[in-house]
Amino acid sequence: MKNAPKKFAVVAVALLAGLTACPNNETEPTEPTGPTVAEKYRFTTGFWFIGSNEVSGAVPTLGESTFTVSGGGIDISYTNVYTTGGGLMGDTDDWAYLYSGNVKIGIVMTYGNSSWVDLGKTVCSEDPFIKDTDLSDMQDTHNGYAGAKK
């Protein structure tokens, strides 16, 4: 009987493992396993600017885990995108850092009834609405900004 507690533990673990498996060979949902872009920042169509010039035909999209700009000679694509940190801008508007994997690529904001993405260190450093942000480790590859009304 010395082995009874060990046998009980093995049976209990096996039963628990069976309870957590999907019944009838169903598959687990394919939801993102890590952090994502907060819903309030996401948009499916908008406009893309480089400096003060809108790029005709360029369409930005900020999804749950991707940021793309395509068309008008622009082809930007980031995957494994998520938002973290940030703060308030005034009473109701806010901002967060935008990452792709472990690389800080920009800042996202809500402003009134629109969402904005500032992409790249140069653009973010010139934005008068963002104060006290840490841009020291931000990439400076794609500099531009996107906006979309919600």
Side-chain angles (χ1 to χ4, degrees):
M1 290 302 279
K2 285 185 177 182
N3 292 335
K6 289 182 184 175
K7 287 181 182 177
F8 177 77
V10 169
V11 170
V13 169
L15 286 172
L16 287 174
L19 291 175
T20 59
C22 288
N24 302 324
N25 294 325
E26 294 176 13
T27 58
E28 293 282 339
T30 57
E31 295 178 8
T33 57
T36 61
V37 173
E39 176 68 33
K40 63 185 168 186
Y41 300 118
R42 299 178 200 168
F43 55 87
T44 56
T45 186
F47 42 87
W48 178 251
F49 283 86
I50 297 177
S52 60
N53 300 313
E54 183 175 358
V55 178
S56 179
V59 178
T61 300
L62 180 59
E64 184 176 26
S65 61
T66 60
F67 177 71
T68 60
V69 184
S70 59
I74 305 293
D75 185 19
I76 299 171
S77 180
Y78 287 98
T79 58
N80 301 316
V81 174
Y82 63 94
T83 51
T84 187
L88 289 174
M89 300 183 325
D91 294 333
T92 59
D93 303 321
D94 67 334
W95 67 274
Y97 292 110
L98 184 65
Y99 280 82
S100 175
N102 62 355
V103 178
K104 190 185 294 181
I105 61 171
I107 292 175
V108 295
M109 297 166 272
T110 59
Y111 186 73
N113 64 347
S114 60
S115 291
W116 293 87
V117 173
D118 283 2
L119 194 62
K121 183 185 246 179
T122 300
V123 168
C124 291
S125 67
E126 295 170 351
D127 193 322
F129 295 104
I130 304 300
K131 307 250 188 293
D132 301 321
T133 56
D134 179 11
L135 306 179
S136 62
D137 58 344
M138 184 176 289
Q139 65 85 22
D140 208 28
T141 305
H142 298 111
N143 281 285
Y145 62 96
K149 294 208 181 252
K150 303 258 312 169

